[in-house]
Amino acid sequence: MNILISLPLFLFVGSVKLEIEAPSKRLNALVILADDGGFEMGTYRNKICQTPNLDNLAKNSLIFNKAFTSVSSCSPSRAALLTGMPSHQNGIYGLHQGVHHFDSFQDVKSISKILKENGIRTGIIGKKHVGPDNVYPFDYSQTEENNSILQVGRNITHIKLLTREFLNTTKPFFLYVAFHDPHRCGHTNPEYGEFCQRFGNGEPGMGSIPDWQPIIYQPDELELPYYLPNTWETRLDVAAQYTTMSRLDQGVGLVIEELKASGHFDDTLVVFSSDNGIPFPAGRTNLYDSGAAEPLFVSSPLHEERKGQITNSLASLLDIVPTLLDWYGIKYDASIESNEVDSVLTGKSLLPLLEKEPSDKSKEIVFGSHNLHEITMYYPMRMARTQRYKLIHNLNYYSPFPIDQDLYLSPTFQDILNNTKTRRNTFWYKTLAEYYKRPEWELYDLKYDPEELNNIVKKNSSQEIFKVLKDRITEWQKATNDPWICSPHGVLENVGRFKDNPQCLGLDNVW
């Protein structure tokens, strides 16, 4: 099969000029990222979880209803956000730390590196979780690499003071504040609770975070999302998550107050989102909407037109780098000498959406690319999502879907596991067997099946859209130099006599 095909995608190729010139006033940017955060906030109609600071930020922002991560896994999603390249393109295929040790390719151009080269002061506070340092350099760096992650990621008073220290500058800046809330910590720091909800709460041995006012939630009052089992164990689990969502919210409020106190609120683009889905079954590591959909606010002091409004236009975290380049008026130069990296960006700037909603969204599409989470969790997937349809390609579909360590020990998953073993009702929207055993292709009509339960890929009436989305995934894989482009039914040959005519050569087996 010849894989050289036309590419009707949003691409930044070569020295492409972005849409706007940098205004005469020096501009800054602040990106705030939650860790495994979801839609547990008033802005997204959660009536229980108290998030007044995030809700106030939303009122000053364009609110995205259909924003998605390109990969639902911690390090890969952060690398994708900071490079504008999906996991398979930038080289971080799975978690960065310890034995996993995934790094981006040496020639990848991250946003921090590009901005440093253009005289903009760069800073990171909180969770970094990507490498190597020469690909992700920051002028100011307070992360888990030189601090306790609990202190730089959850101690909101400490985060406030670090933010104040960074903002004491006369240079234009880019600051990336990556909270560790509401990530689970039960299997690493169980003394603080499943979500570290007791860390810094003033109880004996827990320490105290001066700026944090802990909020305790009642499990019986919660409104669970459709993809979580309606059990008491899950309700207790989610209640703990809500407590840390409120700590995140209070931390975001402190960071915004520091921005205002520095005098830069009126010249700073503020972006808030999360890296991937929540750490529950069907959440993180999944490319279903329950694992890939993300909150996203974009607040611009130069765009008053749509503050507090909602957009239903599709957006991807791959759009953050093009948006920041657009904001600073910087050209993106994709010309590098590397056999490993094709530096084309397939995202688009989100700034035009701050002015008006597109009249036609029918051609909008976002893509997903997952390979691993933990080193043992090899389950490559590719995804294309339009306004109405989603297609998922499970490349390793003969294997059961893998479960990560902290989710496995969580009360929610243990309850599903134990109820399944004893053949009791799990009160879940799927069986465990359905969750583990996935077909090669999953196609969903989101208009009639938003919970993604009815796979229509084999229906005669679905064959046209199946082919269209399948081709679009292949086009995107080609544009982003995806080494998995021929998997699982062929072998990519693209060197030697195939250098100028790359081919997927079939395995001629029984599949």
Side-chain angles (χ1 to χ4, degrees), residues 151-177:
Q151 294 298 330
V152 293
R154 300 186 195 262
N155 185 338
I156 60 176
T157 299
H158 189 47
I159 294 168
K160 174 189 75 174
L161 297 175
L162 293 175
T163 301
R164 183 181 301 173
E165 182 177 67
F166 173 82
L167 291 175
N168 184 23
T169 179
T170 58
K171 295 183 66 176
F173 63 81
F174 165 67
L175 177 60
Y176 171 56
V177 181

Side-chain angles (χ1 to χ4, degrees), residues 30 32 159 163 177 179 251-260:
L30 167 65
I32 303 174
I159 294 168
T163 301
V177 181
F179 289 87
V252 169
L254 294 173
V255 170
I256 297 298
E257 285 304 312
E258 291 300 321
L259 183 65
K260 290 178 178 178

